[in-house]
Amino acid sequence: LTLTLITLVFCSVACWAYVHFTGVELKHANSITQSFFLRRLCPIGALSAGTIVLGMASYLYITVAFVQMLKAFTPVMTMTGLVLFGLERPSTRVVMCVLVICFGTAVAGFGELNFSLIGLCCMLLAQVFEALKLIFTQVVLQNFKFDLVETLYYITPTSALFVFAFAAVREFPYMTTDDIDVLLANTYAFFLSCVFAILTNVINTFVIQFSSALVLKLVATARNALLVLFNAVVMGEIVAPLQFFGYSLSLLGFCGYNYFKVVERR
């Protein structure tokens, strides 16, 4: 949590400096009333922090394989939320492709399942929070026409505040001078982590703005599958047949999703 907090604070400071030193205009500055902030922006920060905290907690109770299986269904939750909020109306073919992607990833992640009800609940809640966070972010970007800089400028500090609240309770009381020494001894590594966090946030927000929250999750799923298959085919990494089949199925579903989306736009 502390590392996440450091990256969020760094991103917040970087956004503030970019806006105030480059003269970028925040077009919706006058629209950010207390009511708008509490109803539209604050929930995104809270959901982001909840996703991080619950996602990390789940690893204390269940195996990585089980976590990956559960994560495979985040696109389904995101698509369901988009439909319920009236933001998307996917065709039957698109829905089937999303289900194929999720099923393939779940099959690939099948392994030793150390079941824990607490871990299961933490991971499922983390997925629900992430899906809602992405949906609310899409509403701010597309419905309220916020641009990329504005979105990060307002949401990142809010997320940092909620993560700080969790870290203050769960980690700060147990930190020692040794932890501070580790931070000081690896300043360069932490700095790079913060820089990559900014790039990740920018890319994710860009994808949501010009496509949708569902596309973001599907791209992430396809990326993981492609990486595993690349390592197996090109780098010679040993991959179980079930994993190879599962990730191949995910990529096939992803290709089908893109094909049908292109066909439907014509």
Side-chain angles (χ1 to χ4, degrees):
L1 290 179
T2 303
L3 176 59
T4 303
L5 176 61
I6 291 173
T7 58
L8 287 172
V9 171
F10 185 89
C11 291
S12 301
V13 173
C15 288
W16 182 89
Y18 178 77
V19 169
H20 290 277
F21 289 108
T22 62
V24 173
E25 179 186 0
L26 299 176
K27 299 177 182 178
H28 295 82
N30 296 329
S31 303
I32 309 297
T33 61
Q34 182 179 5
S35 175
F36 184 88
F37 178 80
L38 292 176
R39 291 175 59 246
R40 298 296 181 181
L41 301 179
C42 198
I44 298 175
L47 290 168
S48 178
T51 301
I52 295 168
V53 173
L54 291 170
M56 290 182 175
S58 65
Y59 284 97
L60 300 176
Y61 300 97
I62 55 181
T63 61
V64 174
F66 199 8
V67 168
Q68 293 306 311
M69 283 186 63
L70 294 174
K71 277 187 174 183
F73 298 100
T74 305
V76 173
M77 294 182 179
T78 305
M79 181 176 63
T80 303
L82 290 170
V83 172
L84 291 176
F85 280 89
L87 298 175
E88 280 201 14
R89 292 183 179 179
S91 64
T92 303
R93 295 181 298 183
V94 168
V95 171
M96 291 303 299
C97 288
V98 173
L99 293 177
V100 167
I101 294 170
C102 296
F103 176 74
T105 306
V107 169
F110 183 79
E112 181 186 355
L113 304 184
N114 182 26
F115 181 80
S116 165
L117 183 60
I118 297 177
L120 176 64
C121 291
C122 284
M123 196 62 235
L124 289 177
L125 277 176
Q127 289 178 276
V128 172
F129 284 3
E130 183 178 13
L132 289 174
K133 178 197 73 173
L134 295 173
I135 292 168
F136 291 165
T137 301
Q138 181 172 325
V139 169
V140 170
L141 285 166
Q142 297 185 3
N143 292 26
F144 291 98
K145 306 302 180 183
F146 275 56
D147 60 31
L148 189 150
V149 174
E150 280 184 310
T151 304
L152 294 177
Y153 182 85
Y154 290 114
I155 292 178
T156 307
T158 309
S159 301
L161 185 62
F162 281 101
V163 172
F164 173 81
F166 283 111
V169 175
R170 296 298 303 166
E171 290 188 354
F172 289 174
Y174 309 101
M175 293 183 69
T176 65
T177 54
D178 292 337
D179 298 315
I180 305 299
D181 291 338
V182 170
L183 175 61
L184 296 176
N186 299 276
T187 306
Y188 184 69
F190 281 102
F191 175 76
L192 285 179
S193 175
C194 292
V195 171
F196 284 122
I198 292 178
L199 295 176
T200 301
N201 287 334
V202 169
I203 293 171
N204 289 348
T205 306
F206 183 84
V207 171
I208 295 175
Q209 181 177 16
F210 292 101
S211 54
S212 71
L214 177 59
V215 172
L216 175 65
K217 298 310 302 177
L218 293 178
V219 168
T221 303
R223 175 203 62 200
N224 294 337
L226 188 61
L227 180 62
V228 171
L229 294 179
F230 175 82
N231 287 336
V233 176
V234 179
M235 306 302 293
E237 185 174 305
I238 298 177
V239 176
L242 189 62
Q243 285 182 309
F244 192 89
F245 168 75
Y247 284 124
S248 298
L249 190 62
S250 292
L251 280 180
L252 181 63
F254 183 70
C255 292
Y257 172 86
N258 284 281
Y259 172 76
F260 290 127
K261 291 294 284 188
V262 170
V263 170
E264 290 170 6
R265 287 196 186 103
R266 292 177 180 175

